[in-house]
Amino acid sequence: MVIAIDGPAGAGKSTVAKFLAKKLNIVYLDTGAMYRAIGLKVYNDGCGVDDHERVKELLDSADIEIKYVDGAQTVWLDGKDVSKDIRLNHISKMASDVSAIPFVRVKLVDMQRKIASKQSTVLDGRDIGTVVFPNAEYKFFLTATVEERANRRYKELLEKGQSADFESIKKEIEQRDYNDSHRATSPLKKADDAIEIDTTGMNIEQVCAKISEIVK
Ligand code: DC
């Protein structure tokens, strides 16, 4: 069984996907983490995202592994656990930029299909229901207003004891939404047969309850 959860940044996809994976005892695959790993590799190399020749070399030599430690997904790049590094703010932007390059998508989509063909999986991303698994048994498209998504991120950072500026978070999210939904290859888009849930004003328990009701 494949469950596809797509939507823009901060709509609650990963929390819902983790919840479902645990509840149904199936694997969770965070596909954004894979684009982030390539973004990190390109960032560390220092070549520009537009230097496709170099990006291709980096992609071909990239060893990305998804490992599950006590049920939690960890991401390894070239033998190193990069689960924390890929969450840094500047890597979000890099991930979005490299994800627009078609050959990057080919490699990562192939990996995603291989992983999910071995076991029942819930995947979250931008193109799972449209491109990666158009025949997924369940497809959800989560949205929320940009204010709500920025506010969630803002609170998350404050809870972690990090400094945060609401307006710049909101701007970054808007920019990333624009990039992800306007690229030529596999843009962020609701699949025609996906169930759309606007999570604005809902807490995560309510979203999970609603989805659980549908996935019996
Ligand atoms: O879900 P995330 O914010 O961790 O994803 C980081 C970036 O990766 C996102 O801005 C766009 C890209 N991405 C994608 O193009 N396709 C996916 N299936 C998942 C993520």
Side-chain angles (χ1 to χ4, degrees):
M1 176 174 72
V2 168
I3 302 177
I5 304 184
D6 290 305
K13 301 185 299 291
S14 67
T15 313
V16 169
K18 275 182 215 156
F19 167 86
L20 275 181
K22 198 163 177 200
K23 187 177 159 117
L24 302 172
N25 197 23
I26 63 176
V27 166
Y28 162 51
L29 183 59
D30 169 2
T31 64
M34 299 164 84
Y35 291 94
R36 286 172 180 270
I38 299 299
L40 178 66
K41 182 147 180 156
V42 172
Y43 178 82
N44 287 344
D45 183 76
C47 75
V49 176
D50 294 334
D51 183 351
H52 284 192
E53 208 173 304
R54 181 68 186 144
V55 173
K56 180 87 173 69
E57 280 172 15
L58 295 171
L59 179 78
D60 289 345
S61 68
D63 175 22
I64 302 175
E65 279 180 288
I66 307 292
K67 296 188 198 174
Y68 298 89
V69 181
D70 297 331
Q73 180 183 268
T74 57
V75 184
W76 295 67
L77 175 67
D78 301 331
K80 185 176 164 235
D81 183 357
V82 294
S83 310
K84 284 211 175 80
D85 301 358
I86 59 169
R87 300 289 155 201
L88 294 169
N89 220 18
H90 55 280
I91 302 302
S92 305
K93 166 90 174 66
M94 283 302 283
S96 179
D97 288 347
V98 295
S99 76
I101 305 174
F103 61 75
V104 172
R105 305 201 70 83
V106 169
K107 171 160 171 166
L108 298 190
V109 167
D110 188 50
M111 278 181 72
Q112 291 156 19
R113 288 187 179 138
K114 278 196 183 121
I115 294 171
S117 68
K118 291 193 195 119
Q119 63 251 310
S120 289
T121 310
V122 47
L123 301 93
D124 76 348
R126 303 292 187 285
D127 61 339
I128 309 302
T130 50
V131 175
V132 187
F133 286 106
N135 297 322
E137 279 83 351
Y138 293 98
K139 294 184 189 179
F140 296 98
F141 194 80
L142 300 191
T143 60
T145 61
V146 68
E147 283 76 18
E148 169 106 8
R149 292 183 286 127
N151 201 32
R152 287 176 191 165
R153 178 80 184 131
Y154 176 71
K155 282 191 188 152
E156 199 181 290
L157 289 172
L158 293 188
E159 273 163 24
K160 282 188 195 157
Q162 295 175 21
S163 63
D165 173 56
F166 177 79
E167 281 308 319
S168 49
I169 293 172
K170 188 175 154 213
K171 241 188 221 137
E172 277 160 19
I173 289 185
E174 277 171 334
Q175 184 64 57
R176 202 142 66 89
D177 283 354
Y178 185 87
N179 283 353
D180 294 343
S181 48
H182 287 80
R183 63 177 180 233
T185 311
S186 311
L188 164 66
K189 193 167 106 204
K190 176 187 164 305
D192 291 339
D193 53 351
I195 298 169
E196 182 163 351
I197 299 175
D198 182 349
T199 69
T200 310
M202 290 170 86
N203 64 35
I204 208 65
E205 288 78 22
Q206 290 168 321
V207 182
C208 290
K210 187 161 184 173
I211 291 196
S212 295
E213 186 59 32
I214 298 165
V215 184
K216 280 269 168 67

